[in-house]
Amino acid sequence: MRPEHKPKIIAFCCNWCGYAAADLAGIQRIQYPDSLRIIRVMCSGMVHPEMVLHALNKGADGVMIIGCQLGECHYIDGNEKAMARAELIDELLEDFGFENDRFLITRLSSSESEQFARTVGTMHKRVLELGPNPNSNQDNGDTP
Amino acid sequence: MNIRLAAESLHSCSGCEISLLNIGEALIPLLNRLQLVHLPLLMDHKYSDPAGSETEISIPKAEIGLVSGGVANTHQLQVLEAMRKSCTTLVALGTCGTHGGIPAMINEWPMADALQTVFSTVTTEPVDVPNQDTPPMLDRVYSLDEKTDVDIFLPGCPPDPTIIARVLEDFLDGLTPEPVTKSVCDTCPTRRTGKSERKLLRFTANARFDSNESTASMQCLLEQGFLCMGPVTAGGCGHQGEPACIRARVPCRGCYGPVRHQDNQMLGMLNGLVSQGIDFKTIIDRKSMLRFSGAHGRLRPLKEKKRAS
Ligand code: SF4
Ligand code: SF4
Ligand code: SF4
């Protein structure tokens, strides 16, 4: 029998909204899948596509970027940049051998803790359906 | 004691060796301090040790070994391993060795499909893919560091002769050559205005410049709308104070590979263009941005699903 697949999802959360929403979800003790590994960034606009690809190359099963609602970015238009890049990531992941469903960008305000948990749940399900990242146990020649 | 030098060409075009010879007069004082023990391009040398086994590849011991080209077949892999065993310091000479180079463009297709295509074009007589007396191909083209430890990376297609000379001099003087940290843009004198085209142009028209003036008076080619790979390419080409292609008023093609060894030229370039508001979907041949750095799994065949559509 195949060992149970325990996915790992990396989430880049912006300090002001995504991370605050995750924090609130914690305070309110809202349950969400334990596959999530949060990396706090100052703005979703600073997440270079290379970081998303690096996470996948190193074996993450899914990657999320969680930023602020449009118009609410603390750095004016960081989340708009992130959206433009997300479109690029969506398109490019297949070039590098990954299903584009392994990536998800979403926008939350800092009070939307329920929404946060729901989105993580959706992503968790998606990744379970996709199965393990083909690179999870091998070095992909992505030199350190 | 003289420092011994061994050199080998693997999946390469010999351009790197020509560049080595192009060091010109400066090569003569270097040769006084170097002892060439193995250099198939210039001297005849048999691999197999007459006293040893027939099949084993033996290369004389050397302090410094230059290897150009990547690795694409089993023979090249054996030669590379023999070089690694014999040389104290191994130098990857040229972008083929550091990042796969032009030959790694084949990595976009499964090797079997690629061979089939090459040996059965519509204009040639159909022949079988040769499989006798030729070493079997690996599954793809690899850079040297994917197959063995490399001490010094010297990219460039080919590396500028002055860079090769400087690395050899440094080595002879017991210094560690400094790695490149600058991009082509960092070494480029063109004029940046901060205003750029929102659309990419094909290089079917010339850039705007005044041929009586220096390149410093020409507007940055990327700003003019040409796909100049300068921002994501390691600097070092052109020793006359400006990048070689920019001096010829054409955009950088990216031949020195990425600025940091592990960077991805296509991803970096597209990221920059997208942040500038350019629609990346208008670049239909984006994979060509990896034309020099397709090893390390950067270029790979698309999954069946997508190719079928
Ligand atoms: S790096 Fe360029 S010049 Fe050197 S072997 Fe490769 S293709 Fe030829
Ligand atoms: S983009 Fe090209 S032309 Fe512009 S500064 Fe960089 S190397 Fe020079
Ligand atoms: S400008 Fe770019 S393509 Fe031209 S020689 Fe320099 S690195 Fe190579």
Side-chain angles (χ1 to χ4, degrees), chain B residues 106-299:
Chain B
I106 206 171
N107 292 354
E108 256 186 78
W109 296 274
M111 187 57 84
D113 291 9
L115 289 177
Q116 204 56 52
T117 307
V118 169
F119 285 95
S120 61
T121 61
V122 278
T123 52
T124 49
E125 267 176 47
V127 285
D128 291 335
V129 177
N131 58 5
Q132 266 162 21
D133 302 323
T134 55
M137 299 292 279
L138 303 178
D139 59 328
R140 60 179 176 92
V141 175
Y142 292 84
S143 69
L144 300 180
D145 63 315
E146 285 183 283
K147 289 294 178 193
T148 192
D149 291 332
V150 172
D151 303 302
I152 299 174
F153 293 95
L154 204 59
C157 184
D160 193 277
T162 51
I163 302 186
I164 307 179
R166 198 180 326 129
V167 166
L168 289 178
E169 269 161 25
D170 280 356
F171 191 83
L172 288 168
D173 296 339
L175 305 169
T176 319
E178 278 181 34
V180 177
T181 51
K182 284 190 164 154
S183 70
V184 172
C185 287
D186 290 336
T187 62
C188 177
T190 55
R191 194 164 47 84
R192 276 77 135 188
T193 62
K195 280 194 237 68
S196 43
E197 291 284 338
R198 282 296 166 100
K199 223 179 90 202
L200 278 186
L201 306 170
R202 291 276 135 186
F203 201 57
T204 47
N206 262 341
R208 291 189 308 273
F209 62 88
D210 180 347
S211 49
N212 297 319
E213 299 282 331
S214 72
T215 36
S217 71
M218 174 174 78
Q219 190 188 3
C220 161
L221 294 173
L222 190 57
E223 286 190 356
Q224 290 193 34
F226 296 107
L227 189 60
C228 184
M229 299 277 288
V232 294
T233 303
C237 65
H239 45 279
Q240 293 170 23
E242 46 194 335
C245 295
I246 307 301
R247 190 166 63 228
R249 324 261 175 166
V250 299
C252 170
R253 307 279 292 160
C255 84
Y256 270 58
V259 182
R260 288 176 308 168
H261 186 71
Q262 72 276 22
D263 283 355
N264 182 322
Q265 284 181 293
M266 172 173 87
L267 211 52
M269 195 69 208
L270 285 175
N271 179 50
L273 294 175
V274 162
S275 309
Q276 264 183 45
I278 289 174
D279 179 6
F280 72 91
K281 295 219 175 83
T282 58
I283 309 166
I284 48 171
D285 54 345
R286 58 169 182 258
K287 281 195 171 185
S288 69
M289 295 180 191
L290 289 169
R291 61 175 78 87
F292 287 103
S293 48
H296 298 108
R298 297 277 184 269
L299 277 182

Side-chain angles (χ1 to χ4, degrees), chain B residues 17-90:
Chain B
E17 286 79 4
I18 303 289
S19 194
L20 176 72
L21 299 179
N22 263 348
I23 294 176
E25 280 185 24
L27 189 60
I28 296 165
L30 279 176
L31 286 180
N32 288 335
R33 301 167 70 192
L34 282 170
Q35 187 192 347
L36 304 181
V37 291
H38 176 82
L39 208 165
L41 184 81
L42 295 184
M43 45 200 228
D44 195 12
H45 180 255
K46 302 283 180 285
Y47 282 130
S48 46
D49 182 354
S53 97
E54 276 284 301
T55 49
E56 190 135 328
I57 289 179
S58 74
I59 287 172
K61 290 258 174 282
E63 277 69 41
I64 183 161
L66 306 178
V67 181
S68 74
V71 187
N73 67 35
T74 50
H75 174 72
Q76 290 163 350
L77 188 57
Q78 283 173 351
V79 174
L80 176 64
E81 279 160 2
M83 278 294 278
R84 179 68 273 185
K85 248 205 231 144
S86 297
C87 304
T88 327
T89 301
L90 197 71

